[in-house]
Amino acid sequence: MHKPGAYAGRILKVDLTSGSISTMPLSEGLIKGFIGGSGINARLAFEYIKPGTPPLSPDNVLILGAGPLVGTLTPGAARTNMTSKSPVSGFIASSGTSHMGNLKFAGYDHLIVTGKASSPVYLEIGDEVRIRDAGHIWGKDTWESAEAVWAELSRDYAVATIGPAGENLVRDASVVTNKYSSFSKTGMGAVMGSKNLKAIAAFGTRDVKVADPKRFIELTNRMAQEVMKAPPMPNRRHYGSLMALGAFIDGKARGSIGYKNSQEWAGKDIMKSFGLNFFDDIQEEHGDISCMACPVGCKHFARLKKPHDVTLPISCAMAPAVTFGGACALRGWPAILKSAEHCNRLGMDHNSAGALVSMSIELYQKGIIDKKDTGGLELDWQAEVVYDLLQKIAYRKGFGNILADGLVEAPAKIAKGAGYYALHYKGIGCVVGDPRPVFSSWISTVVTNVIGHSFSVISHVGKSREALERTMTRAGMPSEEMAAILDHPGGYDIPRLKKWSEDYSFTIESLGQCVRYLYDSFGIDFGIDTWAKVYTAATGIETSGPDLLKAASRGWDMRKAFNLREGASRKDDTVPQRFLNEPLKVEEELHPPVKKEEVDQLVTAYYKARGWDADTGALSPSRLAELTSIK
Amino acid sequence: MSHTGEILISRKACAGCMRCVLACSFFTSTQRAFNPSRAHIKVTPDHEGRFEVRLGDDCTSCGICVNYCEFGALKQAGEADVA
């Protein structure tokens, strides 16, 4: 294969124990096998992270990858992915963000970090690669850290940094990039902290060139025009992820936000208090902020009106709304955004930190724990309680030290039976996605390797047959498969649809493209054939929609193989106990608990759709051999 | 569109997407490369969470950056406002 366009063609390897820095080529095998970004990361994780490795040991490996389209003018091609072994679950850790595309300008597609530095350091990845002392930055929050690194290097750098939570090995610690985007879930911040790695800064002077510039610009210009003309555009830009709120207030997803730790439905009045008009009313100044190359701008710069002491860059307003307004039952946008500021500065995932807080408040309110357990704290659904607990978790102080061990480990240390109140999927906090009101689509969260991909099927389930046929055609689905999904007795065949949604969205993700706001939320679907054309114009590699989908399927299965090797089994593909035992009243409708047998049926059907063993979810030996033969 | 006017910057409208930077380097460099160090416009984060936008001394006001900005942060002097 000629040197492909768009790819940098190199993997950077840094060992923090020895200080060695080296590069290796990005192989044709990995490119053709797994596309790039998340897909290749999955393969590298399986290769480099030995089974049974403790996630916070120096032997764990941190992998950062940028898809081939990152660094070009493809609208929305800003996604980079971190992959590792998660200290939250012990399974694969995967998290994406949109501000580390500078890795490509430094001349790398992937970064592999091994070992542990003897004292705090940060990585400067530019035309030169250096391991720099970070002793003077250690202890700073994520915003202060970004400023400190910029002051030392330059503001051209993309800076991904941990805060106090990562330094203190809080399981749900995140990595915040340029103050905006986070590698949020699965504990990447703790993995970095365990390596004494405070930050990764990237910028360089390398070219990103495409194979067929004329064709590439023609295709991507057309894509950008389509995005700008899309009817949802002005609102999607201004409100970003909040555009989904309507469905949770009185739409199809009503009741799915977990109010007071999913004990009850918040009620329309409370839900409306999160409304878009209130979001606007409290802001003195608002900015639409974008990821690299994206014309949408769905992130926010928000300066609140006095007396609220909040000015913050924020990536996703929906996350704190459902976490702090929903699970933690705080009222009003100022408290929701202040909670978000705490999490962002401390470097913690909103959903999981919020789920830990809401679990704790419920335990206290029910008398399962008391002030002796909480170190004197009285827990209630109040903003000051939430802020205090977030701080205590990040600094591992008092009761927070227990919560810092995450939703899998902490409950057993709190009280007998506390696990019932820890709502999570494979360790990631469940604050949205209650399956009682909307069973069939949210159930996808159960089986997903890592939460975050569940939305890929949810956005389809409510569509009309005609709309879904259009979507499936663009996803490259053969007509016989479409018929099987659409004509399934009792409604669409969700598990089979999920398989296709995963492969399609994982293709887009592995290319380095934003899935959420172009694919999921806009109603714009360029289609797999367009992505194949863009990929060929960028790289010079002839491909097709089916070939890209096969590569994405390999990446998806690689993650599953990683989890299976770490002991994952069918029992991990399950629903929090609360949803199996308690009904949920939403307005006048009483939604019964989810039936375990229905979950089991869907899990089995999903395993079959993916070609895994129908009982265990195991990959066949030939499939595993196929995946691991690709180097 | 006439491209003789200087590039005018509306800093608060800048979303930090860098489409202007990428377009500038791609269209004005002989390498046809996406590379911020080859661009004649620079976008960097400020202290608050917004962006500084600076033109290089070697900017020729060709207007490519204006064409690729979808946030109204760049305008060419003499360009009529869009109705």
Side-chain angles (χ1 to χ4, degrees):
Chain A
M1 185 169 83
H2 297 301
K3 184 176 182 307
Y7 290 95
R10 298 193 303 171
I11 298 176
L12 174 65
K13 294 172 76 178
V14 176
D15 180 64
L16 294 176
T17 304
S18 65
S20 75
I21 297 169
S22 60
T23 63
M24 64 184 196
L26 177 61
S27 71
E28 178 182 345
L30 285 177
I31 288 173
K32 291 199 163 160
F34 296 95
I35 304 174
S38 303
I40 291 182
N41 275 12
R43 178 67 187 94
L44 292 172
F46 193 89
E47 185 75 18
Y48 281 85
I49 302 173
K50 301 300 166 223
T53 298
L56 296 179
S57 76
D59 296 328
N60 195 5
V61 181
L62 185 78
I63 302 162
L64 174 65
L69 298 182
V70 175
T72 74
L73 266 173
T74 314
R79 293 299 281 183
T80 52
N81 171 271
M82 260 192 194
T83 299
S84 186
K85 182 172 175 179
S86 174
V88 172
S89 62
F91 300 143
I92 196 160
S94 173
S95 199
T97 193
S98 309
H99 278 95
M100 280 304 281
N102 279 1
L103 189 68
K104 295 289 288 287
F105 303 126
Y108 305 103
D109 301 289
H110 298 268
L111 163 70
I112 298 174
V113 181
T114 55
K116 177 180 178 173
S118 56
S119 61
V121 297
Y122 73 91
L123 282 183
E124 175 195 347
I125 304 177
D127 295 343
E128 304 281 333
V129 178
R130 295 188 183 93
I131 302 173
R132 285 183 168 255
D133 173 54
H136 55 303
I137 307 175
W138 199 261
K140 291 185 188 296
D141 72 26
T142 61
W143 297 0
E144 294 163 349
S145 303
E147 289 289 341
V149 173
W150 284 330
E152 276 189 13
L153 302 181
S154 81
R155 301 185 91 83
D156 291 313
Y157 280 77
V159 180
T161 174
I162 63 175
E167 293 172 4
N168 293 314
L169 308 185
V170 173
R171 299 285 190 271
D172 294 298
S174 64
V175 184
V176 178
T177 311
N178 282 19
K179 301 182 183 177
Y180 272 99
S181 316
S182 303
F183 296 103
S184 268
K185 296 179 172 41
T186 67
M188 297 299 179
V191 174
M192 279 182 62
S194 73
K195 296 182 173 306
N196 272 334
L197 180 59
K198 177 66 176 172
I200 301 170
F203 182 67
T205 62
R206 297 269 185 148
D207 292 335
V208 173
K209 286 186 181 178
V210 293
D212 185 344
K214 184 164 177 284
R215 178 74 173 135
F216 179 82
I217 284 295
E218 187 183 278
L219 286 166
T220 54
N221 277 357
R222 215 182 304 147
M223 289 162 94
Q225 281 160 22
E226 197 172 329
V227 170
M228 293 309 296
K229 280 188 332 222
M233 179 55 180
N235 280 339
R236 185 65 62 189
R237 170 177 286 182
H238 185 75
Y239 296 110
S241 53
L242 285 180
M243 289 309 295
L245 263 181
F248 291 103
I249 295 173
D250 49 22
K252 288 190 164 67
R254 198 176 64 159
S256 294
I257 289 180
Y259 191 67
K260 290 188 178 175
N261 205 35
S262 293
Q263 291 182 73
E264 58 192 78
W265 152 239
K268 243 189 200 171
D269 289 342
I270 289 177
M271 291 304 300
K272 282 186 172 166
S273 72
F274 304 148
L276 303 179
N277 51 335
F278 294 109
F279 183 67
D280 282 332
D281 285 349
I282 55 159
Q283 293 184 59
E284 180 184 301
E285 192 181 338
H286 176 95
D288 301 317
I289 305 296
S290 205
C291 305
M292 189 191 287
C294 186
V296 177
C298 67
K299 293 172 164 41
H300 316 283
F301 170 81
R303 194 195 314 282
L304 302 197
K305 290 175 179 165
K306 291 188 179 348
H308 308 297
D309 179 28
V310 183
T311 294
L312 88 163
I314 181 163
S315 183
C316 169
M318 184 70 171
V322 299
T323 301
F324 301 113
C328 297
L330 297 186
R331 300 297 296 271
W333 273 107
I336 290 169
L337 292 178
K338 190 72 184 167
S339 305
E341 183 187 353
H342 279 274
C343 267
N344 291 356
R345 282 184 180 269
L346 294 166
M348 286 197 298
D349 170 43
H350 291 194
N351 288 172
S352 294
L356 286 162
V357 167
S358 63
M359 170 192 74
S360 304
I361 297 173
E362 185 181 358
L363 289 172
Y364 187 90
Q365 300 266 299
K366 289 195 150 91
I368 297 170
I369 59 175
D370 57 26
K371 279 160 70 166
K372 281 200 312 295
D373 301 295
T374 65
L377 296 175
E378 293 182 13
L379 304 187
D380 199 355
W381 310 105
Q382 300 291 333
E384 295 303 323
V385 168
V386 172
Y387 305 157
D388 192 26
L389 279 176
L390 291 173
Q391 290 287 326
K392 285 187 158 62
I393 293 170
Y395 286 99
R396 285 189 170 272
K397 280 199 177 133
F399 184 55
N401 186 36
I402 299 174
L403 297 178
D405 285 341
L407 289 156
V408 176
E409 286 183 34
K413 297 176 185 175
I414 295 173
K416 192 169 174 218
Y420 181 88
Y421 303 93
L423 305 185
H424 65 89
Y425 290 103
K426 297 185 181 71
I428 309 300
C430 170
V431 296
V432 64
D434 188 330
R436 291 170 292 183
V438 193
F439 175 71
S440 60
S441 54
W442 288 109
I443 205 65
S444 61
T445 318
V446 165
V447 292
T448 194
N449 287 323
V450 177
I451 200 168
H453 288 284
S454 53
F455 294 99
S456 58
V457 76
I458 286 163
S459 59
H460 298 316
V461 169
K463 286 181 175 161
S464 68
R465 187 186 174 103
E466 194 184 54
L468 197 49
E469 274 177 346
R470 258 198 318 270
T471 296
M472 291 194 286
T473 303
R474 284 172 170 245
M477 204 185 290
S479 52
E480 59 274 14
E481 186 71 10
M482 276 200 278
I485 289 171
L486 290 171
D487 296 330
H488 187 254
Y492 302 146
D493 187 334
I494 300 297
R496 236 160 145 163
L497 179 58
K498 176 158 165 54
K499 187 265 184 213
W500 281 93
S501 297
E502 286 167 352
D503 288 351
Y504 186 28
S505 60
F506 201 58
T507 300
I508 297 171
E509 183 182 324
S510 298
L511 290 169
Q513 178 67 37
C514 173
V515 175
R516 197 82 180 93
Y517 290 102
L518 288 184
Y519 167 61
D520 271 354
S521 308
F522 258 70
I524 293 177
D525 188 353
F526 297 121
I528 194 68
D529 292 334
T530 297
W531 287 116
K533 287 176 189 161
V534 173
Y535 182 78
T536 298
T539 64
I541 300 171
E542 289 298 326
T543 192
S544 65
D547 282 347
L548 286 177
L549 291 171
K550 280 188 196 142
S553 188
R554 283 193 281 271
W556 199 263
D557 281 6
M558 198 78 258
R559 285 183 172 178
K560 182 66 174 177
F562 186 103
N563 284 0
L564 289 166
R565 196 173 67 172
E566 295 297 340
S569 69
R570 192 186 176 104
K571 69 169 175 44
D572 299 297
D573 289 334
T574 188
V575 177
Q577 286 294 308
R578 163 155 279 158
F579 302 147
L580 294 171
N581 290 307
E582 298 174 30
L584 178 74
K585 191 158 190 277
V586 179
E587 303 291 304
E588 296 313 311
E589 258 182 291
L590 187 67
H591 298 284
V594 167
K595 293 197 183 103
K596 189 162 185 320
E597 48 273 26
E598 283 185 339
V599 177
D600 286 342
Q601 278 167 18
L602 276 174
V603 170
T604 300
Y606 172 74
Y607 285 174
K608 280 184 183 164
R610 282 238 69 107
W612 303 340
D613 182 275
D615 291 322
T616 64
L619 271 61
S620 67
S622 59
R623 178 61 164 174
L624 187 58
E626 178 204 341
L627 299 178
T628 52
S629 70
I630 300 170
K631 303 246 185 222
Chain B
M1 179 189 291
S2 163
H3 294 311
T4 54
E6 66 171 311
I7 306 298
L8 306 173
I9 297 166
S10 174
R11 190 171 92 77
K12 286 207 167 170
C14 177
C17 73
M18 293 178 61
R19 286 176 64 80
C20 54
V21 174
L22 296 172
C24 179
S25 72
F26 182 84
F27 286 105
T28 67
S29 70
T30 51
Q31 293 82 3
R32 272 284 180 270
F34 297 108
N35 185 339
S37 68
R38 294 191 191 280
H40 309 296
I41 184 168
K42 195 157 152 153
V43 175
T44 51
D46 69 9
H47 292 280
E48 272 197 313
R50 307 200 76 153
F51 301 92
E52 300 284 352
V53 183
R54 290 193 187 89
L55 298 169
D57 293 336
D58 45 2
C59 166
T60 62
S61 303
C62 71
I64 276 285
C65 54
V66 176
N67 290 347
Y68 276 83
C69 177
E70 300 288 1
F71 292 90
L74 299 172
K75 200 168 116 172
Q76 196 135 33
E79 178 187 314
D81 283 336
V82 175

